[in-house]
């Protein structure tokens, strides 16, 4: 444990702080910036009671963390997953603070979650759990304070229930309290594929820079949830060969590439990832190799690897065997610091989570702006604005990396810390007390 703070322990948050401090040491930053960012401003743990369909009561543990509001209200998703812990939610909230600063949107970082396996709940139980959680956190969220959104295993439907519950509690129409809502409740066009689209823009910038011909570039996507599906679809539409895809149960590999719309159709209809080709709703199996997730990460015929599942997938044990020359992190925290060092030594280009998956929160910001102004922007406008912000952030980070010899993660952090540092300074630092 080297975070310099005994409170954190040797856990995901401790590791996230350790990485932050290491990178900050390379940037010319006021010490107070890191001192502020190393501690989340508020950590809430709640008991979330759920009446099961059989009449029994089960009480789950939930969290909402506001990491930092230096640059605006705290913002970030709510995940439903068995591995949710205080440490994980704090790390995810810290990364949201950095992510919002990387793309320059006026939010700080927040995150929430419930330690639960949502696959074991009926739809009605899921709704009751979502509403019960809002009941417990309602005093701590709001359009000017802390604005939740979807994350792992939550979606627009869950955000709709949560918004409805919040409005019942406050007796006010308050669409700006959640983003990623259904369109009918004030959701934004373009929010559904925004995370994947943001990552896609990062890849397009690399394509232009490196002169890639999409047909010659092979892609593997780990995790076939919303982010993974959308980035795979956009790349496939552009002619990239998506040769491997996985979900939590395993991976499929086919060197000729998959028809991604068919895989998405089958997965969303049946909840299963299968190597299929579909004409309309009729799907036939195609030949493919079955692999484990671990084997897929190390495939040698992959140029771009897109981890789009959970944390710590690329670690000291497998980083040396990753076959791809480019990694684009659609998941939050998929690569450990140890792996970062190995990948950098091997010359692997890694576009970090705080940049590559920032498209989701960016369109959440557009949704919040529309809600506050009573507006509804057309899809083209949202996609144009997203592209401009993503390309701008990618360009700034690439320039910083080139000029200062940073990895892309280091450059993205330094870029974000510069903006956070400006906010700390503008609010007053110890400098003002010195003569
Ligand atoms: N959960 C997403 C993320 O990790 C989106 C957050 C948001 O839209 O506020 O970036």
């Amino acid at each position: 444990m080297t975070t310099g703070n005994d409170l954190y322990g040797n856990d995901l948050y401790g590791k996230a702080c350790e990485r932050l401090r290491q990178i900050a040491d390379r940037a010319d930053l006021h010490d107070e910036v890191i001192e502020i960012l190393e501690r989340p401003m508020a950590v809430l743990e709640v008991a979330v009671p759920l009446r099961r369909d059989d009449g029994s009561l089960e009480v789950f543990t939930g969290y909402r963390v506001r990491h930092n509001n230096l640059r605006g209200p705290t913002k970030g998703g709510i995940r439903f997953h068995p591995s949710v812990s205080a440490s994980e939610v704090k790390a995810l909230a810290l990364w949201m603070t950095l992510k919002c600063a990387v793309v320059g949107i006026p939010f700080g970082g927040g995150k929430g979650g419930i330690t639960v396996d949502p696959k074991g709940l009926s739809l009605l139980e899921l709704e009751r759990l979502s509403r019960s959680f809002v009941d417990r956190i309602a005093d701590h969220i709001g359009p000017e304070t802390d604005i939740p959104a979807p994350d792992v295993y939550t979606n627009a439907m869950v955000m709709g229930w949560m918004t409805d519950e919040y409005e019942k509690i406050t007796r006010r129409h308050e669409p700006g309290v959640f983003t990623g809502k259904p369109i009918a409740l004030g959701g934004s066009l373009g929010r559904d594929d925004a995370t994947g689209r943001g990552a896609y823009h990062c890849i397009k910038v690399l394509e232009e820079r490196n002169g890639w011909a999409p047909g010659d570039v092979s892609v593997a996507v780990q995790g076939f949830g919303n982010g993974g599906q959308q980035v795979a679809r956009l790349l496939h539409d552009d002619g990239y060969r998506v040769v491997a895809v996985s979900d939590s149960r395993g991976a499929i590999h086919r060197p000729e590439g998959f028809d991604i719309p068919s895989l998405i159709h089958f997965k969303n209809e049946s909840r299963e990832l299968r190597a299929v080709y579909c004409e309309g709703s009729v799907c036939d199996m195609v030949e493919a190799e079955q692999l484990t997730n671990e084997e897929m990460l190390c495939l040698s015929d992959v140029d771009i690897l897109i981890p789009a599942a959970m944390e710590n997938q690329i670690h000291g044990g497998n980083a040396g065997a990753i076959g791809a020359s480019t990694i684009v992190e659609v998941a939050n925290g998929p690569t450990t610091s140890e792996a970062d060092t190995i990948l950098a030594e091997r010359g692997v280009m890694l576009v970090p989570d705080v940049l590559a998956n920032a498209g989701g929160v960016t369109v959440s910001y557009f949704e919040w702006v529309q809600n506050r102004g009573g507006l509804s922007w057309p899809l083209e406008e949202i996609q144009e604005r997203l592209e401009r912000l993503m390309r701008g952030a990618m360009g700034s980070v690439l320039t910083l990396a080139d000029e200062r010899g940073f990895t892309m993660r280091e450059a993205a952090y330094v870029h974000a810390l510069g903006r956070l540092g400006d906010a700390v300074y503008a609010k007053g630092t110890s400098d003002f007390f010195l003569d």
Side-chain angles (χ1 to χ4, degrees), residues 10-143:
N10 190 19
D11 54 18
L12 199 63
Y13 189 64
K15 296 238 164 66
C17 287
E18 199 175 304
R19 175 186 265 166
L20 179 72
R21 189 167 271 290
Q22 272 164 7
I23 297 177
D25 282 348
R26 302 197 54 187
D28 182 22
L29 269 185
H30 200 290
D31 270 355
E32 289 184 3
V33 180
I34 296 304
E35 211 173 312
I36 289 172
L37 294 181
E38 269 193 335
R39 306 279 294 269
M41 62 183 273
V43 179
L44 178 70
E45 179 182 318
V46 292
V48 192
L50 168 70
R51 182 67 61 193
R52 301 295 302 254
D53 290 342
D54 66 4
S56 65
L57 178 76
E58 199 162 338
V59 184
F60 295 91
T61 304
Y63 305 91
R64 186 72 195 168
V65 172
R66 300 184 68 201
H67 174 259
N68 187 279
N69 67 351
L70 270 170
R71 302 186 68 256
T74 49
K75 181 86 193 81
I78 292 173
R79 71 170 52 177
F80 289 174
H81 195 273
S83 77
V84 164
S85 65
S87 174
E88 184 192 54
V89 179
K90 287 195 293 184
L92 290 161
L94 160 64
W95 294 331
M96 287 305 302
T97 299
L98 295 169
K99 193 184 301 183
C100 294
V102 168
V103 281
I105 56 177
F107 289 137
K111 203 79 174 198
I114 303 180
T115 316
V116 61
D117 180 5
K119 292 178 187 162
L121 300 181
S122 72
L123 203 57
L124 276 172
E125 287 173 336
L126 195 65
E127 176 178 347
R128 288 198 290 274
L129 185 72
S130 305
R131 290 182 183 275
S132 179
F133 184 54
V134 172
D135 183 48
R136 291 299 158 98
I137 64 167
D139 291 337
H140 304 271
I141 59 174

Side-chain angles (χ1 to χ4, degrees), residues 75-77 96 99 111 147-151 179 191 332 357 360-361 364:
K75 181 86 193 81
M96 287 305 302
K99 193 184 301 183
K111 203 79 174 198
I147 307 143
D151 196 75
T179 61
R191 178 63 185 84
N332 288 304
N357 73 27
V361 73
S364 276

